[in-house]
Amino acid sequence: MNKAKVTIWVDEVKGRIDPDIYGHFAEHLGGCIYDGIWVGENSEIPNEGGIRKDTAQAFKELSPPILRWPGGCFADAYHFEDGIGPREKRPRRWNIWWEQEESNQFGTDEFIRFCRMTGAKAYICLNVGSGSIEEALNWMEYCNSSADVHYANLRRQNGQPEPYNVGYWSVGNENWGCGGPFDPEDYGKVYRRFVNYLRRANPDVKFIACGGGAEWNEGFFKGLGDRPYMVDYLSIHRYFHAGNDVDFSDSDYYDLMAQVKSLEDYIELTAKQIETFARGRKKIWIALDEWGVWHPQARVPNGLWQQNTLRDAIFAARVLNLLNLHCDKVGMANIAQTFNVLQCVAFTEGPKMCLTPTYWTFHMFKGHMGAELLRCETDSALTFKVDGGDLPALDLSASRNKGEITLTLVNQHLTEDVKVKVALIGARANDCAMRVLTAEDPRAHNTFERPDVVRPMEGEFEVSDGEVTALLPSKSVVLLEIKT
Ligand code: AHR
């Protein structure tokens, strides 16, 4: 049996993990909104004013901190006025990016209702590509104004007397691509014009600029000029794949795990660029506001639907551990996309719903939200092989919330179990709870017929002499909640 020690320095706080790192993203794409969230008031599927109850309840149980909407690429072709007012009067449009009809039955008011039902903060992506500053101002007035003015009055007319106070707005999406295509400098100039007006009308909201690769960011900062105060977050996106969704080889499995390093490099490079630009005058956070696995099975004709296996859940755990460790740079992250699309947390089909393995990773990591990141190390010698060499099989992060320590561990090895002894420096473990997400096969997944193939189980552990000893099965995500 492989053995390893994990040491947690209970008094060495490395930073605060922003809960928004555990955010989500929902776009008008495939079955994410229609079916996944919205079924309409007349549906036989149990709903609250058109919003289906099962997915809303399951989502709420994740304590989702923030939800980005309406896109994605869809956002830069979306006009919010299509989606407000009496539903029977709303125009149907062609969704140019995802090649489907858009009924506009789900718009701003419905989105805010979904956020309120689930506890998520609203994050809206503005239309820069085919929109205008005026339209953006109007949308923000509709959501946030308490004055006796046109768009706030429209909101009142639509049954919402109080402002929604939407606090997060991004100025376009992937404006180097579907939301443009701009040259980076041009986008920088457009961004500063948008924010000049929008900030004046909404001094307290956070603005998210569209970032990209190193060259794009450099050009964007040039176009923006010496105005770091105009940016609260710089957005980056990263998708990953290796082999198919279910039919992948063992080496594809390891390849995917190895790709987490490229995300770490991307975060570090972006943070350096931000530092060079802002020179300490403004804290600009990174918003990784789209991330996840994007398997070749997810294509436009099938609404980017793909299966979700234990491998994806393990991968999500690796990314979340990484984001915890970079909580001094990353202030928000949003996995793509909530329901039925890409690395979603649940599938629906008519009245049926099933939770994905990735859902359970988010569930198990909840204790990190808003907690203090602690110094935590392992001496594990277990590795796995990829083309570039040997990589550590054990991955982990630990945080503290009052007297409770959340330790999330990933054993990526496909065949080797590890017994870990967890020692706390500066405290003693008095009690512990353990959850394990694993299966016989990394290709294991949940279906409507067998929804519980991959779900957390109790694990094997022991607390003695102030330390915890726990068994990490191969290919598993493990949660230890340690009481001191
Ligand atoms: O998440 C799917 C798409 O991926 C988004 O619409 C776009 O922003 C990205 O390219």
Side-chain angles (χ1 to χ4, degrees):
M1 167 75 74
N2 298 280
K3 289 201 170 132
K5 188 167 179 188
V6 169
T7 311
I8 302 174
W9 284 263
V10 172
D11 297 317
E12 281 196 44
V13 173
K14 298 283 180 195
R16 177 183 172 267
I17 300 170
D18 198 310
D20 292 351
I21 285 176
Y22 289 82
H24 298 262
F25 164 45
E27 179 168 9
H28 289 241
L29 194 184
C32 186
I33 302 290
Y34 301 105
D35 288 353
I37 298 177
W38 183 259
V39 288
E41 281 161 323
N42 299 325
S43 170
E44 283 176 5
I45 297 168
N47 68 83
E48 205 177 296
I51 293 175
R52 64 187 293 162
K53 286 186 178 171
D54 53 359
T55 53
Q57 183 55 33
F59 193 54
K60 185 180 177 184
E61 281 164 27
L62 292 180
S63 312
I66 192 161
L67 180 62
R68 177 177 184 248
W69 172 85
C73 292
F74 178 81
D76 279 273
Y78 181 62
H79 300 286
F80 83 101
E81 289 190 64
D82 288 347
I84 57 173
R87 277 190 218 103
E88 65 284 2
K89 293 205 176 130
R90 298 186 192 174
R92 294 180 67 81
R93 305 275 186 207
W94 184 242
N95 178 338
I96 56 165
W97 293 110
W98 306 113
E99 299 176 10
Q100 60 189 81
E101 291 168 11
E102 171 58 52
S103 67
N104 280 307
Q105 296 301 287
F106 189 90
T108 305
D109 301 311
E110 290 78 15
F111 168 61
I112 298 292
R113 265 209 287 130
F114 181 70
C115 288
R116 288 181 175 172
M117 278 169 77
T118 58
K121 287 178 290 182
Y123 163 14
I124 291 183
C125 182
L126 291 164
N127 178 347
V128 170
S130 67
S132 65
I133 294 174
E134 189 189 2
E135 184 183 36
L137 275 169
N138 295 344
W139 199 357
M140 294 183 84
E141 181 178 299
Y142 184 86
C143 290
N144 289 355
S145 174
S146 53
D148 178 11
V149 290
H150 180 70
Y151 284 95
N153 287 335
L154 261 187
R155 185 195 66 236
R156 292 187 185 97
Q157 211 174 296
N158 293 335
Q160 301 298 330
E162 296 306 321
Y164 293 145
N165 296 324
V166 176
Y168 299 81
W169 297 81
S170 62
V171 181
N173 170 73
E174 295 191 356
N175 300 89
W176 31 263
C178 59
F182 284 91
D183 291 331
E185 277 193 55
D186 290 345
Y187 171 72
K189 287 176 188 155
V190 167
Y191 177 89
R192 77 189 199 211
R193 286 195 57 226
F194 265 72
V195 173
N196 190 42
Y197 290 89
L198 305 181
R199 176 89 86 198
R200 176 80 189 155
N202 303 267
D204 299 326
V205 312
K206 304 283 183 209
F207 288 104
I208 296 106
C210 163
E215 218 178 293
W216 169 271
N217 293 343
E218 220 170 275
F220 164 65
F221 289 139
K222 203 162 168 213
L224 180 63
D226 198 18
R227 298 178 177 84
Y229 58 87
M230 284 196 156
V231 185
D232 296 303
Y233 295 81
L234 186 70
S235 136
I236 57 173
H237 294 172
R238 187 50 64 94
Y239 290 100
F240 309 82
H241 74 95
N244 291 324
D245 54 357
V246 180
D247 181 20
F248 54 84
S249 65
D250 288 356
S251 81
D252 292 333
Y253 167 94
Y254 285 127
D255 269 6
L256 187 70
M257 299 304 148
Q259 288 177 32
V260 177
K261 177 75 180 85
S262 71
L263 177 61
E264 180 166 31
D265 293 346
Y266 190 24
I267 289 170
E268 277 169 2
L269 174 71
T270 307
K272 273 206 188 92
Q273 288 192 290
I274 290 175
E275 232 174 82
T276 310
F277 168 67
R279 287 183 279 122
R281 291 169 295 167
K282 169 82 197 278
K283 176 69 188 174
I284 300 176
W285 293 96
I286 293 173
L288 176 64
D289 57 10
E290 284 185 34
W291 70 269
V293 286
W294 187 327
H295 300 300
Q297 280 61 39
R299 313 285 296 262
V300 175
N302 73 354
L304 304 194
W305 190 94
Q306 61 186 20
Q307 191 46 270
N308 192 299
T309 64
L310 173 64
R311 175 176 73 150
D312 299 321
I314 294 174
F315 181 78
R318 284 279 335 261
V319 171
L320 293 174
N321 273 340
L322 177 82
L323 298 178
N324 286 345
L325 297 176
H326 287 80
C327 66
D328 57 329
K329 307 174 190 79
V330 182
M332 188 199 304
N334 309 72
I335 191 170
Q337 297 196 4
T338 321
F339 304 118
N340 297 321
V341 170
L342 297 176
Q343 194 170 359
C344 59
V345 296
F347 293 122
T348 60
E349 194 182 281
K352 295 183 269 186
M353 178 193 75
C354 91
L355 305 175
T356 66
T358 297
Y359 177 92
W360 292 114
T361 294
F362 273 79
H363 204 277
M364 290 167 75
F365 274 65
K366 282 200 304 185
H368 286 306
M369 284 194 238
E372 292 171 312
L373 179 74
L374 298 178
R375 178 176 166 206
C376 172
E377 289 169 14
T378 179
D379 66 358
S380 166
L382 189 66
T383 57
F384 62 85
K385 270 199 186 337
V386 281
D387 273 354
D390 290 347
L391 292 174
L394 236 60
D395 180 73
L396 69 180
S397 71
S399 68
R400 179 181 86 177
N401 200 337
K402 298 191 184 100
E404 181 150 319
I405 291 169
T406 299
L407 172 62
T408 45
L409 301 128
V410 188
N411 178 4
Q412 300 162 88
H413 207 284
L414 280 172
T415 52
E416 296 288 325
D417 299 347
V418 186
K419 192 169 233 175
V420 292
K421 186 169 261 199
V422 183
L424 308 181
I425 309 285
R428 286 172 63 80
N430 289 323
D431 200 1
C432 182
M434 180 176 180
R435 308 296 285 163
V436 182
L437 191 71
T438 190
E440 282 296 303
D441 190 331
R443 297 153 193 92
H445 53 272
N446 298 332
T447 58
F448 300 119
E449 295 69 36
R450 297 182 65 216
D452 291 328
V453 173
V454 186
R455 67 172 295 148
M457 304 166 294
E458 286 181 6
E460 270 179 52
F461 74 99
E462 194 188 15
V463 183
S464 106
D465 287 339
E467 298 188 333
V468 180
T469 307
L471 179 75
L472 315 185
S474 60
K475 48 190 163 343
S476 69
V477 179
V478 170
L479 163 68
L480 292 176
E481 289 169 308
I482 305 170
K483 287 205 170 41
T484 58

